[in-house]
Amino acid sequence: MGIGCTVNKAISPRGSEEDGLIPGFMAYSRRLAARLRDEGRYDAAGKLDMYVRRFVAFLGKSELPLNNIDRQLIRNYRAWLEGRGLARNSTSLYVRNLKRVYLQAVSEGLVADSHPFDGQDVSYHVKKERNGLSIDDIVRLRFLDLGQCNKSVCFARDIFLFSVFAHGMAAKDIFSLTHDNIRDGRLTYVSNITGRVVTITLTPLLKEIADNYARPDTSSLFPVVTSDNAKGQWRQHCTALHNINRNLKTIGRMLGLPYPLNMTVARHTGKSMAKG
């Protein structure tokens, strides 16, 4: 099947090409991803590509006309995701993002809305219990002997602890910190998630971790994201976070934890501690 499909021009006055062809769902998704990259939103574009790849894996083919998306197809897709062991929130995430693409196509007049997502719960359900370390676990992590491990494992442990004791600071915020964020024993930064200004005490442990990675050639506390362009910064961030989480899984096994250790656990642990 080609990447285009013929539609009624009355349905798509703004979106149809001169020859009456419109892109299929995957081609249209790639177009949206390209727009996001043009806007410098590389993380959003990468995630959109990931959602579409999963849909392609379900379909077993590389393209699908927009007007072939119906309720039965979406029900089958959700059942397919669940059959692969995805939890409710993960399943909803994949379906929710397909819905966003579809509704965007509808808003551009590329297809008439047949409401294929009606009846689908695509909301995020807050977990009653989130994985987080106890005080004893944190102490064990802090003094865990990593002498036989490479530097990247030690770095992952340090970034995890920095996040915990910085009240659950996100990795993106940690990678953005510079010496200018520190004044009079306080660390102040703008959260990439909320856009709010956050100020915390620079505790001796936070200072010790930051000092371990200080370099005279940069003002960054943790010189991980060093590219001078948005695309390069996004790639470096993704690579660093992937490596940190991979090494944290190794550390979690060393600690005998019943769940995978990652930066999400660090955030939950830090926020829980901050609440007291």
Side-chain angles (χ1 to χ4, degrees), residues 162 166 169 173-174 176-191 196-202 206 221:
F162 194 95
M169 186 186 296
D173 292 328
I174 295 175
S176 300
L177 293 175
T178 71
H179 292 290
D180 291 337
N181 293 108
I182 300 175
R183 287 289 184 275
D184 301 322
R186 309 281 288 176
L187 193 157
T188 301
Y189 68 99
V190 178
S191 169
R196 297 176 180 175
V197 176
V198 180
T199 299
I200 61 176
T201 300
L202 186 70
L206 291 177
L221 294 189

